[in-house]
């Protein structure tokens, strides 16, 4: 049976959909009933009670504690009566996924000892030993961690004093020290992996946290939550991750939950899944957060407990003990096998169910696979279609017709197009309010010849080529590998724009490439810190001494044409304060403008003329950039640049090569050139 999951919409109505995955093959499980669980784990702890340090298995020092054989069924906990006032006590019941009413689990406790330090924070982590996993190897690929969790806390409604403690859990962990959240006092090094942290009693401003490689995805300030954090909760009166947010209030309601919006004093089942490069965090089947992350695809699971605050918890006012702890039970890791729609027909229409197995893909959880089958083939998108992802693995597929919208459950999940092999074309328009992520395998090409509309960043991964009609994104263009190429056009229709440009690698060692061919590009950065120097280095690296075969920023249209290159300049310099228009697009004055043009075209107007010569002359024999006469990217405006200008003088970017003739402007150039040469600075030998 396929699992179901629910999310809360903005109106707080729960919407449920069937997941396209089937879990199978248990890789690891532990119900803690055998009494031998402690020997199955490696664990690490740290606290500022006894100086920052990590401790190995079997050692509990200072302010951390674990009991792998805890009989929680004998523990008396305090709760508030459904009347909302009267305090009650009871025994912790058996976990929901336990069989036979057993009540043995793993208890974690931290920050329960007062001491001399003002910063009393603590974390304890446990990882199953690799030998405990099926085959003796850590989980990899698509898999899921599931466990039951009980979060206890002192006091009644909203908890007591100093009870700010979180359970921690994660997947794809290094398991070589503290994973998930870190306190900033651990030994150097960053552990890889994805994780979540949830506190039990609410009111800590960040009750629900998601981490990547020990770094938390931000949810504050309210007006600007991290667009890639992937939290389902949206900003309201309270912070996105605060338990008082309406989303969490709706999920965890009183009286089922003593403190509305908080998971404490009740059993909950948590799922952390890694499916198709996406991490999903669910509590009782409800999606809490989800985001794309293929930075690490294998590793151990993490179970843990943490206190990020600087005070100990006060004893419970009824039981008289420190009642803040977490209990884990029924831990299980399964491999997951996906069942997705796959196009198996010949050329035809998208809506024809006979062309697909596992149904026609439709909706923001669907992936459309074009894998195997007849090739080449053309599929007509006969009506608007919405999917999360498109995957190609064939010699040639072309998608034409109506608009394809790439959508997903959260802002953190990318709308993606993946090419595992072959050369494929999406001629239909592509629209997404998410990050658009393309991944293209070595030797493969993805062509997007229609309009592409994005709500945020464009990301390219893999060593292959992704070719666009243009790229116009309000976010960044990030090229993590291979090449992004703007198809040759030369008109305003192909002008590209991004708020930032990031290429994998570093100065003189770029490992990714942007090929603007014969087009224009705007990098419309914000703030006062210009990116002109970085772009100059990227172009210089791509220039490769005139061959235009390097990595960085190149023009394949300039390869073999000694007369053309990529010019670049600050918008403030070319357009003046306030900016103006470039390549048909409006641009402010904090932008770097790039153009395929003639060598010598300093002002990027497409013609090499006296205006460009004036810029060269004003900056002659001094360190400069292209906009002031450095046309060979050596950092100096000199005779070498003068020669490049002379070879192209009075010619426009689209002109065929021709010899300069004595037209009036050329005559003026020659007179000015003579004056320039006469005032050359003497050479010091």
């Amino acid at each position: 049976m396929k699992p179901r999951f629910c999310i809360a919409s903005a109106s707080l109505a729960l919407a449920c959909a069937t997941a396209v995955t089937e879990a199978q093959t248990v890789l690891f499980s532990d119900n803690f009933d055998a009494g031998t669980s402690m020997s199955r784990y490696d664990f690490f702890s740290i606290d500022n009670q006894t100086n920052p340090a990590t401790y190995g298995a079997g050692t509990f020092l200072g302010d951390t504690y674990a009991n792998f054989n805890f009989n929680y069924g004998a523990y008396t906990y305090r709760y508030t009566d459904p009347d909302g006032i009267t305090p009650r006590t009871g025994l912790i019941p058996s976990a929901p996924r336990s069989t036979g009413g057993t009540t043995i689990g793993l208890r974690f406790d931290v920050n329960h000892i007062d001491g001399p330090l003002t910063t009393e924070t603590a974390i304890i982590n446990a990882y199953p030993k690799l030998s405990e996993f099926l085959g003796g190897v850590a989980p990899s690929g698509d898999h899921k961690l599931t466990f039951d969790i009980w979060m206890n806390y002192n006091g009644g409604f909203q908890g007591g004093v100093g009870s700010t403690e979180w359970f921690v859990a994660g997947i794809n962990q290094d398991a070589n020290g503290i994973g998930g959240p870190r306190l900033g006092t651990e030994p150097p090094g960053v552990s890889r992996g994805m994780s979540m942290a949830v506190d039990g009693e609410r009111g800590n401003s960040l009750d629900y946290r998601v981490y990547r490689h020990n770094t938390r995805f931000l949810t504050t300030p309210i007006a600007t939550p991290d667009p890639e954090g992937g939290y389902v909760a949206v900003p309201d009166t309270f912070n996105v991750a605060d338990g008082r947010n309406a989303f969490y209030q709706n999920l965890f309601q009183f009286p089922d939950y003593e403190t509305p919006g908080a998971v404490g004093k009740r059993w909950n089942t948590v799922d952390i899944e890694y499916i198709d490069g996406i991490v999903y965090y669910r509590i009782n089947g409800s999606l809490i957060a989800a985001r794309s992350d293929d930075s690490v695809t294998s590793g151990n699971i993490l179970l843990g407990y943490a206190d990020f605050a600087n005070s100990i918890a006060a004893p419970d006012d009824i039981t008289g003990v420190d009642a803040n702890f977490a209990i884990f039970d029924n831990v299980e890791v399964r491999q997951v096998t996906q069942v997705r729609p796959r196009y198996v027909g010949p050329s035809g229409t998208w809506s024809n169910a006979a062309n697909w197995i596992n149904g026609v893909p439709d909706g923001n959880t669907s992936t459309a696979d074009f894998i195997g089958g007849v090739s080449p083939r053309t599929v007509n998108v006969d009506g608007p279609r919405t999917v999360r992802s498109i995957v190609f693995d064939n010699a040639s597929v072309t998608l034409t017709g109506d608009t394809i919208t790439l959508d997903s459950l959260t802002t953190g999940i990318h709308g993606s197009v993946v090419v595992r092999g072959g050369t494929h074309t999406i001629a239909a328009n592509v629209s997404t309010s998410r990050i658009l992520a393309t991944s293209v395998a070595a030797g493969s090409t993805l062509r997007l010849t229609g309009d592409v509309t994005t709500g945020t960043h464009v990301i390219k991964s893999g060593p292959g080529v992704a070719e666009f009609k243009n790229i116009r994104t309000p976010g960044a263009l990030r090229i993590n590998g291979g090449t992004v190429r703007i198809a040759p056009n030369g008109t305003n229709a192909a002008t590209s724009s991004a708020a930032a440009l990031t290429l994998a690698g570093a100065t003189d060692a770029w490992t990714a490439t942007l090929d603007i061919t014969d087009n224009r590009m705007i990098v419309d950065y914000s703030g006062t810190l210009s990116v002109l120097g970085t772009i100059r280095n990227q172009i210089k690296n791509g220039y490769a001494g005139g061959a235009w075969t390097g990595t960085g920023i190149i023009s394949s249209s300039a390869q073999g044409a000694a007369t053309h290159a990529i010019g670049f300049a600050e918008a403030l310099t070319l357009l003046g304060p306030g900016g103006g228009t470039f390549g048909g697009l409006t641009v402010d004055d904090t932008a770097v403008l790039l153009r395929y043009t003639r060598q010598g075209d300093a002002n990027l107007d497409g013609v090499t003329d006296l205006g460009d010569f004036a810029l060269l002359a004003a900056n002659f024999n001094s360190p400069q950039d292209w906009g002031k006469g450095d046309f060979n990217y050596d950092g100096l405006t000199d005779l070498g640049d003068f020669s490049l200008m002379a070879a192209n003088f009075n010619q426009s970017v689209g002109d065929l090569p021709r010899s300069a003739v004595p037209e009036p402007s050329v005559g003026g150039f020659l007179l000015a050139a003579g004056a320039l040469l006469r005032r050359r600075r003497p050479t010091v030998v």
Side-chain angles (χ1 to χ4, degrees):
M1 181 177 179
K2 296 180 180 179
R4 297 178 64 81
F5 59 86
C6 302
I7 63 171
S9 68
S11 64
L12 300 180
L14 288 179
C16 295
T18 300
V20 291
T21 60
E22 291 186 355
Q24 61 182 20
T25 311
V26 175
L27 304 179
F28 172 84
S29 65
D30 193 353
N31 61 15
F32 303 96
D33 293 341
T36 58
S37 293
M38 183 172 177
S39 64
R40 304 183 66 191
Y41 294 81
D42 294 320
F43 48 91
F44 301 85
S45 65
I46 182 169
D47 68 84
N48 290 337
Q49 187 80 21
T50 57
N51 296 321
T54 57
Y55 303 104
T59 304
F60 300 104
L61 299 177
D63 215 4
T64 60
Y65 172 79
N67 184 342
F68 286 81
N69 190 31
F70 177 60
N71 183 7
Y72 56 81
Y75 182 88
T76 299
Y77 76 102
R78 175 259 182 94
Y79 66 96
T80 301
D81 189 87
D83 65 13
I85 300 174
T86 308
R88 303 287 187 187
T89 59
L91 299 177
I92 296 177
S94 178
R97 296 164 56 248
S98 294
T99 58
T102 60
T103 58
I104 303 299
L106 164 61
R107 172 178 168 171
F108 281 140
D109 195 1
V110 298
N111 208 3
H112 58 286
I113 302 174
D114 201 359
L117 301 180
T118 58
T119 305
E120 296 162 350
T121 53
I123 296 177
I124 185 168
N125 289 172
Y127 308 94
K129 296 177 179 178
L130 288 183
S131 59
E132 297 296 324
F133 287 99
L134 182 67
V137 295
S140 63
D142 295 341
H143 63 282
K144 176 172 72 171
L145 164 66
T146 302
F147 56 88
D148 296 328
I149 184 78
W150 176 283
M151 290 288 289
N152 214 65
Y153 56 84
N154 62 332
F157 180 79
Q158 296 190 62
V161 178
S163 56
T164 53
E165 299 179 6
W166 284 253
F167 84 76
V168 177
I171 58 175
N172 292 350
Q173 297 285 317
D174 278 343
N176 57 4
I178 298 297
R182 296 171 78 92
L183 299 177
T185 55
E186 298 86 339
V190 176
S191 294
R192 301 177 306 159
M194 286 71 80
S195 60
M196 70 187 304
V198 179
D199 76 353
E201 77 281 13
R202 199 191 76 189
N204 296 302
S205 74
L206 296 172
D207 301 305
Y208 299 86
R209 308 181 178 202
V210 175
Y211 293 81
R212 176 182 186 268
H213 306 345
N214 305 126
T215 301
R216 178 174 57 82
F217 282 98
L218 300 178
T219 58
T220 54
I222 295 173
T224 55
D226 187 338
E228 297 184 61
Y231 295 92
V232 177
V234 296
D236 63 5
T237 304
F238 298 99
N239 294 328
V240 177
D242 191 328
R244 293 170 293 177
N245 182 284
F247 174 82
Y248 302 109
Q249 291 277 303
N250 184 69
L251 287 184
F252 311 113
Q253 298 181 16
F254 185 85
D256 290 337
Y257 289 86
E258 179 181 69
T259 298
V263 300
K265 297 184 182 176
R266 177 169 171 169
W267 281 108
N268 299 274
T269 299
V270 175
D271 293 299
I272 303 178
E273 293 181 297
Y274 183 76
I275 309 292
D276 198 24
I278 302 171
V279 186
Y280 298 92
Y281 302 92
R282 295 188 176 94
I283 299 179
N284 302 331
S286 294
L287 191 65
I288 302 300
R291 65 178 311 276
S292 296
D293 197 328
D294 58 2
S295 59
V296 55
T297 61
S298 65
N300 210 317
I301 66 164
L302 159 67
L303 307 176
Y305 194 59
D307 192 334
F308 308 130
N310 60 357
S311 62
I312 66 167
D316 184 79
D317 57 347
I318 291 182
T319 62
V321 298
D322 173 12
N324 300 280
F325 55 84
I327 305 168
F328 289 86
D329 203 354
N330 303 313
V331 178
E332 185 178 76
V333 182
R334 286 179 177 262
Q335 202 75 53
V336 172
T337 300
Q338 299 185 59
V339 178
R340 307 195 307 200
R342 181 162 64 92
Y343 193 95
V344 294
S347 294
T349 59
W350 183 295
S351 65
N352 186 355
N355 289 329
W356 299 87
I357 60 172
N358 301 319
V360 178
D362 185 24
N364 64 3
T365 62
S366 291
T367 293
D369 282 343
F370 296 88
I371 299 173
V374 179
S375 184
R377 54 188 163 171
T378 298
V379 179
N380 178 38
V381 184
D382 51 335
R385 290 289 170 178
T386 296
V387 293
R388 180 188 61 77
S389 179
I390 299 173
V391 178
F392 297 104
D393 192 355
N394 197 298
S396 176
V397 173
T398 299
L399 303 182
T400 64
D402 217 325
T403 298
I404 299 172
T405 298
L406 299 174
D407 197 6
S408 60
L409 292 173
T410 74
T411 58
I413 301 177
H414 304 164
S416 65
V417 181
V418 177
V419 176
R420 297 175 181 170
T423 296
H424 306 278
T425 301
I426 301 180
N429 295 337
V430 175
S431 176
T432 181
S433 61
R434 310 304 195 197
I435 292 173
L436 174 63
T438 62
S439 178
V440 186
S444 299
T445 300
L446 170 66
R447 295 192 175 100
L448 296 101
T449 61
D451 293 328
V452 175
T453 304
T454 69
T456 178
H457 313 309
V458 175
I459 300 176
K460 159 65 173 61
S461 302
V465 177
E467 181 179 279
F468 292 78
K469 172 183 176 180
N470 60 46
I471 293 176
R472 295 177 179 177
T473 174
L477 170 59
R478 303 176 185 168
I479 309 178
N480 297 330
T483 298
V484 167
R485 181 169 61 218
I486 309 303
N489 182 296
T491 71
N492 288 348
T495 300
S496 295
S497 177
L501 173 64
T502 303
L503 304 180
T507 304
D508 299 326
W510 311 106
T511 57
T513 300
L514 170 63
D515 180 4
I516 69 169
T517 62
D518 61 355
N519 300 299
R520 281 164 280 201
M521 175 84 188
I522 300 166
V523 181
D524 196 3
Y525 64 89
S526 60
T528 59
L529 185 61
S530 173
V531 296
L532 187 74
T534 298
I535 289 177
R536 183 188 75 83
N537 290 335
Q538 291 168 338
I539 295 175
K540 178 182 177 181
N541 207 65
Y543 179 61
W548 291 106
T549 56
T551 54
I553 300 177
I554 71 167
S555 166
S556 57
S557 297
Q559 293 173 356
T563 55
H564 288 71
I566 299 175
F568 66 101
E570 282 282 359
L572 179 64
T573 302
L574 293 188
L575 305 177
T581 301
F582 181 75
L585 300 181
T586 301
V587 60
D588 61 24
D589 56 15
T590 56
V592 175
L593 312 179
L594 297 82
R595 180 173 186 170
Y596 168 79
T597 190
R598 287 270 177 175
Q599 289 180 317
D601 176 20
N603 59 13
L604 305 186
D605 64 358
V607 180
T608 303
D609 55 17
L610 283 176
D612 302 303
F613 178 77
L615 291 170
L616 181 147
N619 297 284
F620 191 73
N621 213 28
S622 63
Q624 297 296 346
D625 286 315
W626 176 285
K628 295 181 179 179
D630 176 25
F631 306 126
N632 59 6
Y633 314 108
D634 65 358
L636 181 67
T637 299
D638 56 14
L639 279 178
D641 304 300
F642 173 81
S643 298
L644 293 172
M645 173 178 282
N648 292 285
F649 193 74
N650 205 35
Q651 297 183 64
S652 66
V653 61
D655 286 343
L656 296 174
R658 58 188 173 91
S659 300
V661 294
E663 298 173 0
S665 59
V666 177
F669 170 75
L670 294 175
L671 290 174
L676 175 66
L677 294 174
R678 285 193 297 273
R679 69 179 181 85
R680 287 180 59 202
R681 298 177 184 176
T683 301
V684 179
V685 179

